[in-house]
Amino acid sequence: MTEHSYEKAKSALLFIDPYNDFLSEAGKLWPRVKDVAIEVGLLENLKAVTCAVRRNGIQIFMVPHRRWEPGDYETWHHRSPTQIAIMKRHSFARGEWGGEWHPDFAPRDGDIIIKEHWGASGFANTDLDMQLKQHGITHVILVGLLANTCVETTGRYAQELGYHVTLIRDATAAFSKELMHAAHELNGPTYAHAILTTDELIAGLPSP
Amino acid sequence: MTEHSYEKAKSALLFIDPYNDFLSEAGKLWPRVKDVAIEVGLLENLKAVTCAVRRNGIQIFMVPHRRWEPGDYETWHHRSPTQIAIMKRHSFARGEWGGEWHPDFAPRDGDIIIKEHWGASGFANTDLDMQLKQHGITHVILVGLLANTCVETTGRYAQELGYHVTLIRDATAAFSKELMHAAHELNGPTYAHAILTTDELIAGLPSP
Amino acid sequence: MTEHSYEKAKSALLFIDPYNDFLSEAGKLWPRVKDVAIEVGLLENLKAVTCAVRRNGIQIFMVPHRRWEPGDYETWHHRSPTQIAIMKRHSFARGEWGGEWHPDFAPRDGDIIIKEHWGASGFANTDLDMQLKQHGITHVILVGLLANTCVETTGRYAQELGYHVTLIRDATAAFSKELMHAAHELNGPTYAHAILTTDELIAGLPSP
Amino acid sequence: MTEHSYEKAKSALLFIDPYNDFLSEAGKLWPRVKDVAIEVGLLENLKAVTCAVRRNGIQIFMVPHRRWEPGDYETWHHRSPTQIAIMKRHSFARGEWGGEWHPDFAPRDGDIIIKEHWGASGFANTDLDMQLKQHGITHVILVGLLANTCVETTGRYAQELGYHVTLIRDATAAFSKELMHAAHELNGPTYAHAILTTDELIAGLPSP
């Protein structure tokens, strides 16, 4: 149930990091998200959400992580633990299959592709905030990976920046159930305006 | 143990929300943080940290939450759950004792007082980033309240903005042990460059 | 004439730095803006604009410069020429008459007062962008002082951030006619969506 | 003459928009900048500056404008006059010669390429601020095109963000001498910490 409304002209789906490395069976990070992903029905729900928002004419913004390239982060003074891990495993490597969009979630005509983020926030060091404004968006619905890192930091930023923030608890995943619990039961309720299931979101969308 | 170094000219202590409402026995939020605060030795550790950084000549930046005033948030389109709670309980009310600095942690001559933040990030909608640059700071050490909200969002922002981020696990508190665990064992390790105890930080400071 | 429309719910007047030091006869900077101010009819036009937008229900945001305080900028590594000048002449000193609102333009109930800006942009290091979003604003109309510094930098920022930007050429002033020319004939036309006179703006406002 | 010092580890050259369309004889915009460019000795000075900073080990950041692609700006609510002009003339078109680096100024190994900017500020909606911090930069030296648009807006932003800003008056150009005058005699002196000639800059660099 939700009392939130998602006007077509003002709402956007932010789809965070839908790469093969996260979402496909042979992806580098799939083994780490697999258990949670299967339990929540991640792939089915991502399909249901994107299908529903497309049908309703809600704009999709792809919010992709930096695709790793040789040299990345090497000259930086302060690499984060996540960035150090990326330097080792070459997550989402540019030009490789792992850094390609999962085929079910590749952008389509009319989707807007935001600049790649170097850290965990889709807003930091990108054009996401400006692009949302240039399209009249006031409400953002966050799906994708990972619930406690890129999705959460993007959500925390969105709230600070003045947006209405909706998390979809079963259209995301994390490396453990405990991390999902932290994202949706502990931290989300401090900053997010709505935390819904896929079904609740779809039921709350306006008729196309 | 830490391999991080904190040069006096480049390091700063960010002291987040040291209000009576959080830290004093009669404070509105003290009952909610009390158990964790006592267990970690919050007040003693905050005193030890501030004393040590002052002795070492490390700059202190006070990073205060918006002191509630009548009318706050009332005309906003998208209030966060935390902001709705503040509207009800009038946390850190301006002109009241609860919104005054805890007497042990009031700013002293030479401390820099950053603009009040409306949300959870000390960077968002304030002059914190600019002031850090105008003082040559590259390393930020975060203490204060709450571990999983203002401290964590400020830390996540700091990392995105390019700073080296240190959390002090026993110089902060939260509404439950589970929230502390989420902040320091689950989420902190994804973005923070160091997560230390008060003793570890002090041992790692340069000699005055 | 304008083809731009200013919907009440989406438009805001940003009134920049309406201090006695700028606008009153005994103000520290009045001698420097006086010639241009009289020529364009600054005070009459500011009254006409604010009266018209209030009548139309358009939200006013006060966008004030930092009121000078002892110690300001002294510890900063990189003071701008304008900031060095402020340190000398104590422009808009806090607690003094020069740093008070010009009596004709003091904020009224319902006006929103943005945090003071340290430099020339009303957006930088303040809550202006977030407050605009929290009130649904997409169109900003800029009036106040100075045309080529605070008004222009605020306007350049607004454009980058995704807002529709309107300059009012006779509801601002500068230290010389040449600076006004630079602001409205040379630079404004590169970033501003509309550059109007006070009369054109008022004629284009929706009926109350 | 300058009293400013440019420490190798803290200084960076920001090279703005060195595209064929601006700098090569067959470029779309060369006819508009040609007169000023020849008068100031733009190409020689850009070569001298880049050669000198490379010799001194000062980091170069390429700060490129968005290369026009079909569809750009079409769905935006508020296109700026400059963006409307770009839609018409396809400035810096991706995949075309005009959008390639001028051959004398193409990035070399070790140069850092910042994300493309949609407007006039190299900071807005890009990773420039974060990348500068991740490389310890406090002083930025701005060269490239145009003096009163991308260079000036980038400079105004840099000042607001807390950097030391140097303009090089003969390593840039504009569509007219009047615009150059506005950039360097009228507006630059309000926000820039130094406005030098190429020779003055080079004389002030530390020995390699």
Side-chain angles (χ1 to χ4, degrees):
Chain A
M1 278 301 297
T2 170
E3 44 186 329
H4 301 276
S5 72
Y6 298 92
E7 270 186 67
K8 182 171 79 171
K10 296 187 170 182
S11 301
L13 184 77
L14 307 190
F15 200 147
I16 299 173
D17 302 350
Y19 291 130
N20 281 320
D21 267 347
F22 263 143
L23 293 173
S24 293
E25 281 200 23
K28 284 174 184 159
L29 293 158
W30 175 253
R32 300 200 64 187
V33 298
K34 180 181 173 182
D35 286 354
V36 168
I38 289 172
E39 183 176 338
V40 301
L42 175 64
L43 289 161
E44 297 73 17
N45 289 331
L46 287 173
K47 279 181 218 168
V49 168
T50 50
C51 179
V53 302
R54 287 191 195 284
R55 198 175 53 230
N56 280 271
I58 288 176
Q59 179 73 51
I60 296 183
F61 291 75
M62 305 299 283
V63 181
H65 200 280
R66 167 76 176 181
R67 289 169 167 94
W68 177 84
E69 295 183 20
D72 274 6
Y73 309 104
E74 283 177 11
T75 61
W76 289 24
H77 290 196
H78 320 297
R79 295 163 209 139
S80 76
T82 296
Q83 290 163 345
I84 291 168
I86 289 171
M87 292 174 75
K88 288 188 188 140
R89 67 182 176 229
H90 301 179
S91 322
F92 331 122
R94 194 180 309 284
E96 298 186 13
W97 172 85
E100 291 175 10
W101 310 110
H102 183 286
D104 291 342
F105 307 114
R108 301 192 189 168
D109 272 2
D111 292 353
I112 294 169
I113 303 176
I114 295 302
K115 292 179 185 171
E116 298 176 357
H117 48 272
W118 286 100
S121 170
F123 287 97
N125 312 305
T126 78
D127 53 347
L128 178 53
D129 177 61
M130 181 274 289
Q131 290 269 20
L132 292 174
K133 274 186 281 194
Q134 283 286 8
H135 292 86
I137 305 302
T138 57
H139 287 59
V140 292
I141 303 160
L142 277 60
V143 299
L145 284 294
L146 294 170
N148 66 306
T149 58
C150 289
V151 175
E152 181 165 336
T153 306
T154 302
R156 289 186 186 234
Y157 261 73
Q159 189 277 316
E160 300 287 344
L161 290 166
Y163 294 96
H164 181 283
V165 181
T166 298
L167 306 179
I168 309 298
R169 60 172 74 242
D170 54 4
T172 184
F175 291 168
S176 73
K177 288 179 70 166
E178 188 183 30
L179 290 163
M180 290 290 274
H181 176 75
H184 299 135
E185 313 306 327
L186 303 182
N187 288 320
T190 68
Y191 70 86
H193 302 80
I195 306 179
L196 307 178
T197 63
T198 295
D199 288 347
E200 287 169 340
L201 173 74
I202 293 174
L205 292 180
S207 303
Chain B
M1 276 303 296
T2 169
E3 43 185 329
H4 300 276
S5 72
Y6 299 93
E7 271 185 68
K8 182 172 78 172
K10 296 188 171 181
S11 301
L13 184 76
L14 308 190
F15 201 147
I16 299 172
D17 302 349
Y19 291 129
N20 281 322
D21 267 346
F22 263 143
L23 293 172
S24 294
E25 282 200 23
K28 284 176 183 157
L29 293 158
W30 175 252
R32 300 199 62 186
V33 297
K34 181 181 173 183
D35 286 353
V36 168
I38 289 173
E39 182 175 338
V40 301
L42 175 64
L43 289 160
E44 298 72 16
N45 289 331
L46 287 173
K47 279 181 220 167
V49 168
T50 50
C51 179
V53 302
R54 287 191 195 284
R55 197 174 54 230
N56 280 271
I58 288 177
Q59 179 73 52
I60 296 183
F61 291 74
M62 305 300 283
V63 180
H65 200 280
R66 166 76 177 183
R67 289 168 168 94
W68 177 85
E69 294 182 22
D72 273 7
Y73 309 104
E74 284 177 10
T75 60
W76 289 23
H77 290 196
H78 321 296
R79 294 163 211 140
S80 77
T82 296
Q83 290 162 345
I84 291 168
I86 289 172
M87 291 174 74
K88 287 188 190 143
R89 67 181 175 230
H90 302 179
S91 322
F92 331 122
R94 195 180 309 282
E96 297 186 13
W97 172 86
E100 291 175 10
W101 310 110
H102 183 286
D104 291 343
F105 307 113
R108 301 192 190 168
D109 271 1
D111 293 351
I112 293 168
I113 302 177
I114 296 302
K115 292 179 186 171
E116 299 176 357
H117 48 272
W118 286 100
S121 170
F123 287 97
N125 312 306
T126 77
D127 53 347
L128 178 53
D129 176 61
M130 181 274 287
Q131 290 270 19
L132 291 174
K133 275 186 281 194
Q134 282 287 8
H135 292 87
I137 305 303
T138 57
H139 287 60
V140 293
I141 303 161
L142 277 60
V143 299
L145 284 293
L146 294 170
N148 66 305
T149 58
C150 289
V151 175
E152 182 165 337
T153 306
T154 302
R156 289 186 186 233
Y157 261 73
Q159 190 276 318
E160 300 287 343
L161 289 166
Y163 293 97
H164 182 283
V165 180
T166 298
L167 307 178
I168 309 299
R169 60 172 77 242
D170 54 4
T172 185
F175 291 168
S176 73
K177 288 180 71 165
E178 188 182 30
L179 289 163
M180 291 289 273
H181 176 75
H184 299 134
E185 313 307 325
L186 303 182
N187 288 321
T190 68
Y191 70 86
H193 302 80
I195 305 178
L196 307 176
T197 62
T198 296
D199 287 348
E200 287 169 340
L201 173 73
I202 294 173
L205 293 179
S207 302
Chain C
M1 277 300 296
T2 169
E3 44 186 328
H4 301 276
S5 72
Y6 299 92
E7 270 186 67
K8 183 171 77 170
K10 295 188 171 182
S11 302
L13 184 76
L14 307 190
F15 201 148
I16 299 172
D17 302 350
Y19 290 130
N20 281 320
D21 267 345
F22 262 143
L23 293 172
S24 293
E25 281 200 24
K28 285 176 182 157
L29 294 158
W30 175 253
R32 300 199 63 186
V33 298
K34 180 181 173 184
D35 286 352
V36 169
I38 289 173
E39 183 176 338
V40 302
L42 176 64
L43 289 162
E44 298 72 16
N45 289 331
L46 287 173
K47 278 181 221 167
V49 168
T50 50
C51 179
V53 302
R54 286 191 196 284
R55 198 174 53 230
N56 280 270
I58 287 177
Q59 178 74 51
I60 296 183
F61 291 74
M62 305 300 284
V63 181
H65 200 281
R66 167 75 178 184
R67 289 168 167 93
W68 177 85
E69 294 182 21
D72 272 7
Y73 309 104
E74 284 178 10
T75 61
W76 289 25
H77 289 196
H78 321 296
R79 295 165 210 135
S80 77
T82 297
Q83 290 162 346
I84 291 168
I86 289 172
M87 291 173 75
K88 287 187 190 142
R89 66 181 175 230
H90 301 179
S91 323
F92 331 122
R94 194 180 310 284
E96 297 185 13
W97 172 86
E100 290 175 10
W101 309 111
H102 183 287
D104 291 342
F105 306 113
R108 301 193 189 166
D109 271 1
D111 293 352
I112 294 169
I113 302 176
I114 295 302
K115 292 179 185 171
E116 298 177 358
H117 48 271
W118 286 100
S121 170
F123 287 97
N125 312 306
T126 78
D127 53 346
L128 178 54
D129 176 61
M130 181 274 289
Q131 290 271 19
L132 291 174
K133 275 186 281 195
Q134 283 287 8
H135 292 87
I137 305 302
T138 57
H139 287 58
V140 292
I141 303 160
L142 276 59
V143 298
L145 285 294
L146 293 170
N148 65 306
T149 58
C150 290
V151 175
E152 181 164 338
T153 306
T154 302
R156 289 186 187 234
Y157 261 75
Q159 189 277 316
E160 300 286 344
L161 289 166
Y163 294 97
H164 181 284
V165 180
T166 298
L167 306 179
I168 309 299
R169 60 171 76 243
D170 53 6
T172 184
F175 290 168
S176 73
K177 288 179 72 166
E178 188 182 29
L179 289 163
M180 290 290 274
H181 177 75
H184 299 134
E185 313 307 325
L186 303 182
N187 288 321
T190 68
Y191 70 87
H193 302 79
I195 306 179
L196 307 178
T197 62
T198 295
D199 288 347
E200 287 169 340
L201 174 73
I202 293 174
L205 292 180
S207 303
Chain D
M1 278 302 297
T2 170
E3 43 185 330
H4 301 277
S5 72
Y6 299 92
E7 271 185 69
K8 182 172 79 171
K10 295 188 171 182
S11 301
L13 184 77
L14 307 190
F15 201 148
I16 299 172
D17 302 350
Y19 290 130
N20 281 321
D21 266 346
F22 263 142
L23 293 172
S24 292
E25 282 199 22
K28 285 175 183 157
L29 294 158
W30 174 252
R32 301 199 62 187
V33 297
K34 180 181 174 182
D35 286 353
V36 169
I38 289 173
E39 182 176 338
V40 301
L42 175 64
L43 289 161
E44 299 72 16
N45 290 331
L46 287 173
K47 279 180 219 167
V49 168
T50 50
C51 180
V53 302
R54 287 191 196 284
R55 197 174 55 230
N56 280 271
I58 287 177
Q59 179 72 52
I60 296 183
F61 291 75
M62 305 299 284
V63 181
H65 200 281
R66 166 76 177 184
R67 289 168 168 94
W68 177 84
E69 295 183 21
D72 273 7
Y73 309 104
E74 284 178 10
T75 60
W76 289 24
H77 289 195
H78 321 295
R79 295 163 210 139
S80 77
T82 297
Q83 290 162 345
I84 291 168
I86 290 172
M87 292 174 75
K88 287 187 190 142
R89 66 181 176 231
H90 301 178
S91 322
F92 331 122
R94 195 180 308 283
E96 298 186 12
W97 172 85
E100 290 176 9
W101 310 110
H102 182 286
D104 291 342
F105 306 114
R108 300 192 190 168
D109 271 3
D111 292 352
I112 293 168
I113 303 176
I114 295 302
K115 292 178 186 172
E116 299 177 356
H117 48 271
W118 287 101
S121 170
F123 287 97
N125 312 305
T126 77
D127 53 346
L128 178 54
D129 176 62
M130 181 275 289
Q131 289 270 19
L132 292 174
K133 276 186 279 194
Q134 283 286 7
H135 292 87
I137 304 303
T138 57
H139 288 58
V140 292
I141 303 160
L142 276 61
V143 299
L145 285 297
L146 294 169
N148 65 306
T149 59
C150 290
V151 175
E152 181 166 336
T153 306
T154 302
R156 290 186 185 233
Y157 261 73
Q159 189 277 317
E160 300 286 344
L161 290 166
Y163 294 96
H164 181 283
V165 180
T166 297
L167 306 179
I168 309 300
R169 59 172 76 241
D170 53 5
T172 184
F175 290 168
S176 74
K177 288 180 70 167
E178 188 183 30
L179 289 162
M180 290 290 273
H181 177 75
H184 299 134
E185 313 307 326
L186 302 182
N187 288 320
T190 68
Y191 70 86
H193 302 80
I195 305 180
L196 307 177
T197 62
T198 296
D199 287 348
E200 287 170 339
L201 174 74
I202 293 174
L205 293 180
S207 303

